[in-house]
Amino acid sequence: MTTETHLDARGLKCPLPVLRTGKVLRNMAPGTRLRVLADDPVAVVDIPHFCHEAGHALLNQREDEGHQVYVIERGPRP
């Protein structure tokens, strides 16, 4: 069973959702998961791009009652 850390970034505007996501992921162990809630429309582009560039796996991305939900698996440490 994989434990998830949660980040509620609803109400934050670009670039804060992706910056906070990066900060939380830096303090997590490789292979652990982070669930992010965001409602900034730009996060739909920013968070997947960040994951790709930083080497994290975006496991799921969906809309849920007025906000987005992202499940990210922490990539290996550089």
Side-chain angles (χ1 to χ4, degrees):
M1 180 173 152
T2 303
T3 302
E4 284 184 344
T5 299
H6 296 269
L7 171 63
D8 188 347
R10 292 177 292 183
L12 301 178
K13 298 299 177 201
C14 181
L16 290 178
V18 76
L19 292 176
R20 298 254 173 105
T21 297
K23 182 177 181 178
V24 171
L25 284 166
R26 277 191 298 278
N27 294 313
M28 294 174 62
T32 56
R33 293 183 179 177
L34 173 64
R35 178 179 301 268
V36 180
L37 306 179
D39 56 7
D40 180 10
V42 182
V44 178
V45 175
D46 285 350
I47 291 179
H49 178 74
F50 164 75
C51 290
H52 176 74
E53 292 297 313
H56 306 302
L58 181 59
L59 302 177
N60 193 326
Q61 175 181 350
R62 64 183 171 85
E63 291 285 328
D64 186 22
E65 298 182 17
H67 62 274
Q68 306 108 34
V69 180
Y70 304 91
V71 178
I72 303 165
E73 186 173 274
R74 170 71 161 96
R77 296 208 185 269

Coordinates of all heavy atoms in Angstrom, one line a residue:
M1 N 0.8 -1.2 0.0 CA 0.0 0.0 0.0 C 0.9 1.2 0.0 O 1.8 1.4 0.8 CB -0.9 0.0 1.2 CG -1.8 1.2 1.3 SD -2.9 0.9 2.7 CE -3.2 2.6 3.1
T2 N 0.6 2.2 -0.9 CA 1.3 3.4 -1.0 C 0.6 4.6 -0.2 O -0.5 4.8 -0.4 CB 1.5 3.8 -2.5 OG1 2.1 2.8 -3.2 CG2 2.3 5.1 -2.6
T3 N 1.4 5.2 0.6 CA 0.8 6.4 1.4 C 0.9 7.6 0.5 O 1.9 7.8 -0.1 CB 1.6 6.6 2.7 OG1 1.5 5.4 3.5 CG2 1.1 7.7 3.5
E4 N -0.1 8.4 0.5 CA -0.1 9.7 -0.2 C 0.0 10.9 0.7 O -0.6 10.9 1.8 CB -1.4 9.8 -1.0 CG -1.5 9.0 -2.2 CD -2.7 9.3 -3.0 OE1 -3.7 9.9 -2.5 OE2 -2.7 8.9 -4.2
T5 N 0.8 11.8 0.3 CA 0.8 13.1 1.0 C -0.2 14.0 0.2 O -0.4 13.8 -1.0 CB 2.2 13.7 0.9 OG1 3.1 12.8 1.6 CG2 2.3 15.1 1.5
H6 N -0.8 14.9 0.8 CA -1.8 15.8 0.2 C -1.4 17.2 0.2 O -0.8 17.7 1.2 CB -3.2 15.6 0.9 CG -3.7 14.3 0.8 ND1 -4.5 13.9 -0.2 CD2 -3.5 13.2 1.5 CE1 -4.8 12.6 -0.1 NE2 -4.2 12.1 1.0
L7 N -1.6 18.0 -0.9 CA -1.4 19.4 -1.0 C -2.6 20.0 -1.5 O -3.1 19.7 -2.6 CB -0.2 19.7 -1.9 CG 0.0 21.2 -2.2 CD1 0.3 22.0 -1.0 CD2 1.1 21.3 -3.3
D8 N -3.2 20.9 -0.7 CA -4.4 21.7 -1.2 C -3.9 23.0 -1.7 O -3.6 23.9 -0.9 CB -5.4 21.8 -0.1 CG -6.7 22.4 -0.6 OD1 -6.8 22.9 -1.7 OD2 -7.7 22.4 0.2
A9 N -3.8 23.2 -3.0 CA -3.4 24.4 -3.6 C -4.6 25.2 -4.2 O -4.4 26.1 -5.0 CB -2.3 24.1 -4.7
R10 N -5.8 24.9 -3.8 CA -6.9 25.6 -4.3 C -6.9 27.0 -3.8 O -6.5 27.3 -2.6 CB -8.2 24.9 -3.9 CG -8.4 23.6 -4.5 CD -9.7 22.9 -4.1 NE -9.4 22.5 -2.7 CZ -10.3 21.8 -2.0 NH1 -11.5 21.5 -2.5 NH2 -10.1 21.5 -0.7
G11 N -7.2 28.0 -4.7 CA -7.2 29.4 -4.3 C -5.9 30.1 -4.6 O -5.8 31.3 -4.6
L12 N -4.9 29.3 -5.0 CA -3.6 29.9 -5.3 C -3.5 30.1 -6.8 O -4.0 29.2 -7.6 CB -2.4 28.9 -4.9 CG -2.3 28.6 -3.4 CD1 -1.2 27.6 -3.1 CD2 -2.2 29.9 -2.6
K13 N -2.9 31.1 -7.2 CA -2.7 31.4 -8.7 C -1.3 31.2 -9.1 O -0.4 31.2 -8.3 CB -3.1 32.9 -8.9 CG -4.6 33.2 -8.6 CD -5.5 32.4 -9.4 CE -7.0 32.6 -9.1 NZ -7.8 31.5 -9.5
C14 N -1.2 31.0 -10.4 CA 0.1 30.8 -11.1 C 1.1 31.8 -10.6 O 0.8 33.0 -10.6 CB -0.1 30.8 -12.6 SG 1.4 30.5 -13.5
P15 N 2.3 31.4 -10.3 CA 2.9 30.1 -10.3 C 2.9 29.3 -9.0 O 3.5 28.3 -8.9 CB 4.4 30.4 -10.7 CG 4.7 31.6 -9.9 CD 3.3 32.4 -9.9
L16 N 2.1 29.8 -8.0 CA 2.2 29.1 -6.7 C 1.8 27.7 -6.7 O 2.5 26.9 -5.9 CB 1.3 29.9 -5.7 CG 1.9 31.3 -5.4 CD1 1.0 32.1 -4.4 CD2 3.3 31.2 -4.8
P17 N 0.8 27.2 -7.4 CA 0.5 25.7 -7.3 C 1.7 24.9 -7.7 O 2.0 23.9 -7.0 CB -0.7 25.5 -8.2 CG -1.4 26.9 -8.2 CD -0.3 27.9 -8.2
V18 N 2.4 25.2 -8.7 CA 3.5 24.4 -9.2 C 4.7 24.6 -8.3 O 5.4 23.6 -8.0 CB 3.8 24.6 -10.7 CG1 4.6 25.9 -10.9 CG2 4.6 23.4 -11.2
L19 N 4.9 25.8 -7.8 CA 6.0 26.0 -6.8 C 5.8 25.3 -5.5 O 6.8 24.6 -5.0 CB 6.2 27.5 -6.6 CG 6.6 28.4 -7.7 CD1 6.6 29.8 -7.3 CD2 8.0 27.9 -8.2
R20 N 4.6 25.3 -5.0 CA 4.3 24.5 -3.8 C 4.4 23.0 -4.0 O 4.9 22.3 -3.1 CB 3.0 24.9 -3.2 CG 2.8 26.3 -2.9 CD 2.8 26.6 -1.4 NE 2.9 28.0 -1.1 CZ 1.8 28.7 -0.6 NH1 0.7 28.1 -0.4 NH2 1.9 29.9 -0.3
T21 N 4.0 22.6 -5.2 CA 4.1 21.1 -5.5 C 5.6 20.7 -5.5 O 5.9 19.7 -4.9 CB 3.5 20.9 -6.9 OG1 2.1 21.2 -6.8 CG2 3.7 19.4 -7.3
G22 N 6.4 21.5 -6.1 CA 7.9 21.2 -6.2 C 8.5 21.2 -4.8 O 9.3 20.3 -4.5
K23 N 8.1 22.1 -4.0 CA 8.7 22.2 -2.6 C 8.3 21.0 -1.8 O 9.1 20.4 -1.1 CB 8.1 23.5 -1.9 CG 8.7 23.6 -0.5 CD 8.2 24.9 0.1 CE 8.8 25.1 1.5 NZ 8.4 26.4 2.1
V24 N 7.0 20.5 -1.9 CA 6.6 19.3 -1.2 C 7.3 18.1 -1.7 O 7.8 17.3 -0.9 CB 5.1 19.2 -1.2 CG1 4.7 17.8 -0.7 CG2 4.4 20.3 -0.5
L25 N 7.4 18.0 -3.0 CA 8.1 16.8 -3.6 C 9.5 16.7 -3.3 O 10.1 15.6 -3.1 CB 7.9 16.8 -5.1 CG 6.5 16.4 -5.6 CD1 6.3 16.8 -7.1 CD2 6.3 14.9 -5.4
R26 N 10.2 17.8 -3.1 CA 11.6 17.8 -2.8 C 11.9 17.2 -1.4 O 12.9 16.6 -1.2 CB 12.2 19.2 -2.8 CG 12.6 19.7 -4.1 CD 13.4 21.0 -4.0 NE 12.7 22.1 -3.4 CZ 11.8 22.9 -4.1 NH1 11.6 22.7 -5.4 NH2 11.2 23.9 -3.5
N27 N 10.9 17.2 -0.5 CA 11.0 16.7 0.8 C 10.5 15.3 0.9 O 10.4 14.7 2.0 CB 10.4 17.6 1.8 CG 11.1 18.9 1.9 OD1 12.3 19.0 2.0 ND2 10.4 20.0 1.8
M28 N 10.1 14.7 -0.2 CA 9.5 13.3 -0.2 C 10.5 12.3 -0.7 O 11.4 12.7 -1.4 CB 8.2 13.3 -1.0 CG 7.1 14.1 -0.5 SD 5.7 14.2 -1.6 CE 5.2 12.5 -1.7
A29 N 10.4 11.1 -0.3 CA 11.2 10.0 -0.8 C 10.8 9.6 -2.2 O 9.7 9.6 -2.5 CB 11.2 8.8 0.2
P30 N 11.8 9.2 -3.0 CA 11.5 8.7 -4.3 C 10.5 7.5 -4.2 O 10.5 6.7 -3.3 CB 12.8 8.2 -4.9 CG 13.8 9.0 -4.1 CD 13.2 9.2 -2.8
G31 N 9.5 7.5 -5.2 CA 8.5 6.5 -5.2 C 7.2 6.8 -4.4 O 6.2 6.1 -4.5
T32 N 7.3 7.8 -3.5 CA 6.1 8.2 -2.7 C 5.2 9.0 -3.6 O 5.6 9.6 -4.6 CB 6.5 8.9 -1.4 OG1 7.3 10.0 -1.7 CG2 7.2 8.0 -0.5
R33 N 3.9 9.2 -3.2 CA 2.9 9.9 -4.0 C 2.4 11.1 -3.3 O 2.2 11.2 -2.1 CB 1.8 8.9 -4.3 CG 2.2 7.8 -5.2 CD 1.1 6.9 -5.6 NE 1.6 5.9 -6.5 CZ 0.8 4.9 -6.9 NH1 -0.4 4.8 -6.6 NH2 1.3 4.0 -7.7
L34 N 2.1 12.1 -4.2 CA 1.5 13.4 -3.7 C 0.2 13.6 -4.5 O 0.2 13.5 -5.7 CB 2.5 14.5 -4.0 CG 2.0 15.9 -3.8 CD1 1.7 16.1 -2.3 CD2 3.0 17.0 -4.3
R35 N -0.9 13.9 -3.8 CA -2.1 14.2 -4.4 C -2.3 15.8 -4.2 O -2.2 16.3 -3.1 CB -3.3 13.5 -3.7 CG -4.7 13.9 -4.2 CD -5.8 13.2 -3.6 NE -5.6 11.8 -3.7 CZ -6.2 11.0 -4.7 NH1 -6.9 11.6 -5.6 NH2 -6.0 9.7 -4.7
V36 N -2.4 16.4 -5.3 CA -2.5 17.9 -5.4 C -3.9 18.3 -5.8 O -4.4 17.8 -6.9 CB -1.5 18.5 -6.3 CG1 -1.6 20.0 -6.4 CG2 -0.1 18.1 -6.0
L37 N -4.5 19.2 -5.1 CA -5.8 19.8 -5.5 C -5.5 21.3 -5.9 O -4.8 22.0 -5.2 CB -6.8 19.9 -4.4 CG -7.1 18.5 -3.7 CD1 -8.1 18.8 -2.5 CD2 -7.6 17.5 -4.6
A38 N -6.0 21.7 -7.1 CA -5.7 23.0 -7.6 C -6.9 23.5 -8.4 O -7.7 22.7 -9.0 CB -4.5 23.0 -8.5
D39 N -7.2 24.8 -8.4 CA -8.3 25.3 -9.2 C -7.8 26.4 -10.2 O -8.6 27.0 -10.8 CB -9.4 25.8 -8.3 CG -9.0 26.8 -7.3 OD1 -7.9 27.3 -7.3 OD2 -9.9 27.2 -6.4
D40 N -6.5 26.7 -10.2 CA -6.0 27.6 -11.2 C -6.0 27.0 -12.6 O -5.4 25.9 -12.8 CB -4.5 28.0 -10.8 CG -3.9 29.0 -11.7 OD1 -4.6 29.6 -12.6 OD2 -2.7 29.2 -11.6
P41 N -6.6 27.6 -13.6 CA -6.7 27.0 -14.9 C -5.4 26.8 -15.5 O -5.2 25.9 -16.3 CB -7.5 28.1 -15.7 CG -7.9 29.1 -14.8 CD -7.4 28.9 -13.5
V42 N -4.3 27.5 -15.2 CA -3.0 27.4 -15.7 C -2.3 26.1 -15.2 O -1.4 25.6 -15.8 CB -2.2 28.6 -15.5 CG1 -0.8 28.5 -16.2 CG2 -2.9 29.9 -16.1
A43 N -2.8 25.6 -14.0 CA -2.2 24.4 -13.5 C -2.3 23.2 -14.4 O -1.5 22.3 -14.3 CB -2.8 24.2 -12.1
V44 N -3.3 23.2 -15.2 CA -3.6 22.1 -16.1 C -2.4 21.9 -17.1 O -2.1 20.8 -17.5 CB -4.9 22.3 -16.9 CG1 -5.1 21.2 -17.9 CG2 -6.1 22.5 -16.0
V45 N -1.7 23.0 -17.4 CA -0.5 23.0 -18.2 C 0.8 22.9 -17.3 O 1.7 22.1 -17.6 CB -0.4 24.2 -19.1 CG1 0.9 24.3 -19.9 CG2 -1.6 24.3 -20.0
D46 N 0.8 23.7 -16.3 CA 2.0 23.8 -15.5 C 2.4 22.6 -14.7 O 3.6 22.2 -14.7 CB 1.9 25.0 -14.4 CG 2.0 26.3 -15.0 OD1 2.4 26.5 -16.2 OD2 1.7 27.3 -14.3
I47 N 1.5 21.9 -14.1 CA 1.8 20.7 -13.3 C 2.3 19.6 -14.1 O 3.3 19.0 -13.8 CB 0.7 20.4 -12.3 CG1 0.6 21.5 -11.2 CG2 0.9 19.0 -11.7 CD1 -0.5 21.3 -10.2
P48 N 1.6 19.2 -15.2 CA 2.1 18.1 -16.1 C 3.5 18.5 -16.7 O 4.4 17.6 -16.7 CB 1.1 18.0 -17.2 CG -0.2 18.4 -16.6 CD 0.2 19.6 -15.7
H49 N 3.7 19.7 -17.1 CA 5.0 20.1 -17.6 C 6.1 20.0 -16.6 O 7.2 19.5 -16.8 CB 4.9 21.6 -18.2 CG 6.2 22.1 -18.7 ND1 6.7 21.6 -19.9 CD2 7.1 23.0 -18.2 CE1 7.9 22.3 -20.1 NE2 8.1 23.1 -19.1
F50 N 5.8 20.5 -15.4 CA 6.7 20.4 -14.2 C 7.1 19.0 -14.0 O 8.3 18.7 -13.8 CB 6.1 21.0 -13.0 CG 6.9 20.7 -11.7 CD1 8.1 21.2 -11.4 CD2 6.4 19.7 -10.9 CE1 8.8 20.8 -10.3 CE2 7.0 19.3 -9.7 CZ 8.3 19.9 -9.4
C51 N 6.2 18.1 -13.9 CA 6.4 16.7 -13.7 C 7.4 16.1 -14.7 O 8.3 15.4 -14.4 CB 5.1 15.9 -13.6 SG 4.1 16.2 -12.2
H52 N 7.1 16.4 -16.0 CA 7.9 15.9 -17.1 C 9.3 16.4 -17.0 O 10.3 15.6 -17.1 CB 7.3 16.3 -18.4 CG 8.1 15.9 -19.6 ND1 8.2 14.6 -20.0 CD2 8.9 16.6 -20.4 CE1 9.0 14.5 -21.1 NE2 9.5 15.7 -21.3
E53 N 9.5 17.7 -16.7 CA 10.8 18.3 -16.7 C 11.6 17.8 -15.4 O 12.8 17.7 -15.5 CB 10.7 19.8 -16.7 CG 10.2 20.4 -18.0 CD 11.2 20.1 -19.1 OE1 12.4 20.3 -19.0 OE2 10.7 19.7 -20.2
A54 N 10.9 17.6 -14.3 CA 11.6 17.3 -13.1 C 11.8 15.8 -12.9 O 12.4 15.3 -11.9 CB 10.8 17.9 -11.9
G55 N 11.2 15.0 -13.8 CA 11.4 13.5 -13.7 C 10.4 12.8 -12.7 O 10.7 11.7 -12.3
H56 N 9.3 13.4 -12.5 CA 8.2 12.8 -11.6 C 7.2 12.2 -12.6 O 7.0 12.7 -13.7 CB 7.6 13.9 -10.7 CG 8.6 14.6 -9.9 ND1 9.4 14.0 -9.0 CD2 8.8 15.9 -9.8 CE1 10.2 14.9 -8.4 NE2 9.8 16.1 -8.9
A57 N 6.5 11.2 -12.1 CA 5.5 10.5 -12.9 C 4.1 11.1 -12.5 O 3.7 11.1 -11.3 CB 5.5 9.0 -12.6
L58 N 3.4 11.7 -13.5 CA 2.0 12.1 -13.3 C 1.1 10.9 -13.5 O 0.9 10.5 -14.6 CB 1.7 13.2 -14.3 CG 0.3 13.8 -14.2 CD1 0.0 14.4 -12.8 CD2 0.1 14.9 -15.2
L59 N 0.6 10.3 -12.4 CA -0.1 9.1 -12.5 C -1.6 9.3 -12.9 O -2.2 8.4 -13.5 CB 0.0 8.3 -11.2 CG 1.4 8.0 -10.7 CD1 1.3 7.3 -9.3 CD2 2.1 7.1 -11.7
N60 N -2.1 10.4 -12.5 CA -3.5 10.7 -12.8 C -3.7 12.2 -12.7 O -3.2 12.9 -11.9 CB -4.4 10.0 -11.7 CG -5.9 10.0 -12.0 OD1 -6.4 10.9 -12.7 ND2 -6.5 8.9 -11.6
Q61 N -4.6 12.6 -13.7 CA -5.0 14.0 -13.7 C -6.5 14.1 -14.1 O -6.9 13.5 -15.1 CB -4.2 14.8 -14.8 CG -4.6 16.2 -15.0 CD -3.8 16.8 -16.1 OE1 -2.8 16.3 -16.6 NE2 -4.2 18.0 -16.6
R62 N -7.3 14.7 -13.3 CA -8.7 14.8 -13.6 C -9.4 16.0 -13.0 O -8.8 16.7 -12.1 CB -9.4 13.5 -13.0 CG -9.4 13.4 -11.5 CD -10.0 12.0 -11.1 NE -9.8 11.8 -9.7 CZ -10.5 12.3 -8.7 NH1 -11.6 13.1 -9.0 NH2 -10.2 12.1 -7.4
E63 N -10.6 16.3 -13.4 CA -11.4 17.4 -12.9 C -12.4 16.8 -11.9 O -12.9 15.7 -12.1 CB -12.2 18.0 -14.0 CG -11.4 18.8 -15.0 CD -11.0 20.1 -14.5 OE1 -11.7 20.7 -13.7 OE2 -9.9 20.6 -14.9
D64 N -12.6 17.5 -10.8 CA -13.5 17.0 -9.7 C -14.2 18.2 -9.1 O -13.5 18.9 -8.3 CB -12.7 16.2 -8.7 CG -13.6 15.5 -7.7 OD1 -14.8 15.4 -7.9 OD2 -13.1 15.2 -6.6
E65 N -15.4 18.4 -9.4 CA -16.3 19.4 -8.7 C -15.6 20.8 -8.7 O -15.4 21.4 -7.6 CB -16.7 19.0 -7.4 CG -17.5 17.7 -7.4 CD -18.0 17.3 -6.0 OE1 -18.0 18.1 -5.1 OE2 -18.4 16.1 -5.9
G66 N -15.1 21.4 -9.8 CA -14.6 22.7 -9.8 C -13.1 22.8 -9.5 O -12.6 24.0 -9.4
H67 N -12.4 21.7 -9.4 CA -11.0 21.8 -9.2 C -10.3 20.6 -9.9 O -11.0 19.7 -10.3 CB -10.6 21.9 -7.8 CG -11.0 20.7 -7.0 ND1 -12.2 20.5 -6.4 CD2 -10.3 19.5 -6.6 CE1 -12.3 19.4 -5.7 NE2 -11.1 18.8 -5.9
Q68 N -9.0 20.7 -10.1 CA -8.3 19.6 -10.7 C -7.6 18.8 -9.5 O -7.3 19.3 -8.5 CB -7.1 20.1 -11.6 CG -7.6 21.0 -12.6 CD -7.1 22.4 -12.4 OE1 -6.0 22.7 -11.8 NE2 -7.9 23.4 -12.8
V69 N -7.4 17.5 -9.8 CA -6.8 16.5 -8.9 C -5.6 15.9 -9.7 O -5.8 15.4 -10.8 CB -7.7 15.4 -8.4 CG1 -7.0 14.5 -7.5 CG2 -9.0 16.1 -7.7
Y70 N -4.4 16.0 -9.1 CA -3.2 15.4 -9.7 C -2.7 14.4 -8.7 O -2.6 14.7 -7.5 CB -2.2 16.4 -10.0 CG -2.7 17.6 -10.8 CD1 -3.2 18.7 -10.3 CD2 -2.6 17.5 -12.2 CE1 -3.7 19.7 -11.0 CE2 -3.0 18.6 -13.0 CZ -3.6 19.7 -12.4 OH -4.1 20.7 -13.2
V71 N -2.3 13.2 -9.2 CA -1.5 12.3 -8.4 C -0.2 12.1 -9.0 O -0.1 11.7 -10.2 CB -2.3 10.9 -8.3 CG1 -1.4 9.9 -7.5 CG2 -3.7 11.1 -7.7
I72 N 0.9 12.4 -8.3 CA 2.2 12.5 -8.7 C 3.1 11.5 -7.9 O 3.0 11.5 -6.7 CB 2.8 13.9 -8.6 CG1 1.9 14.9 -9.3 CG2 4.2 14.0 -9.1 CD1 2.2 16.4 -9.0
E73 N 3.9 10.7 -8.6 CA 4.8 9.9 -7.9 C 6.2 10.5 -8.0 O 6.7 10.9 -9.1 CB 4.9 8.5 -8.6 CG 5.8 7.5 -7.8 CD 5.7 6.1 -8.4 OE1 4.8 5.4 -8.0 OE2 6.5 5.8 -9.3
R74 N 6.8 10.7 -6.9 CA 8.1 11.3 -6.8 C 9.1 10.5 -7.5 O 9.3 9.3 -7.4 CB 8.5 11.4 -5.3 CG 10.0 11.8 -5.0 CD 10.2 13.3 -5.3 NE 11.3 13.8 -4.7 CZ 12.5 14.0 -5.3 NH1 12.7 13.6 -6.6 NH2 13.5 14.5 -4.7
G75 N 9.9 11.2 -8.4 CA 10.9 10.6 -9.2 C 12.2 10.4 -8.4 O 12.3 10.8 -7.2
P76 N 13.2 9.7 -9.0 CA 14.5 9.5 -8.3 C 15.1 10.9 -8.0 O 15.0 11.8 -8.7 CB 15.3 8.7 -9.2 CG 14.7 8.9 -10.6 CD 13.2 9.3 -10.3
R77 N 15.9 10.9 -6.9 CA 16.6 12.1 -6.6 C 17.7 12.3 -7.6 O 18.3 11.4 -8.0 CB 17.2 12.0 -5.2 CG 16.1 11.9 -4.1 CD 16.7 12.4 -2.8 NE 15.7 12.2 -1.7 CZ 14.8 13.1 -1.4 NH1 14.7 14.2 -2.1 NH2 13.9 12.8 -0.4
P78 N 18.0 13.6 -7.9 CA 19.1 13.9 -8.9 C 20.4 13.6 -8.4 O 20.6 13.5 -7.2 CB 18.9 15.4 -9.2 CG 18.0 15.9 -8.2 CD 17.3 14.8 -7.5

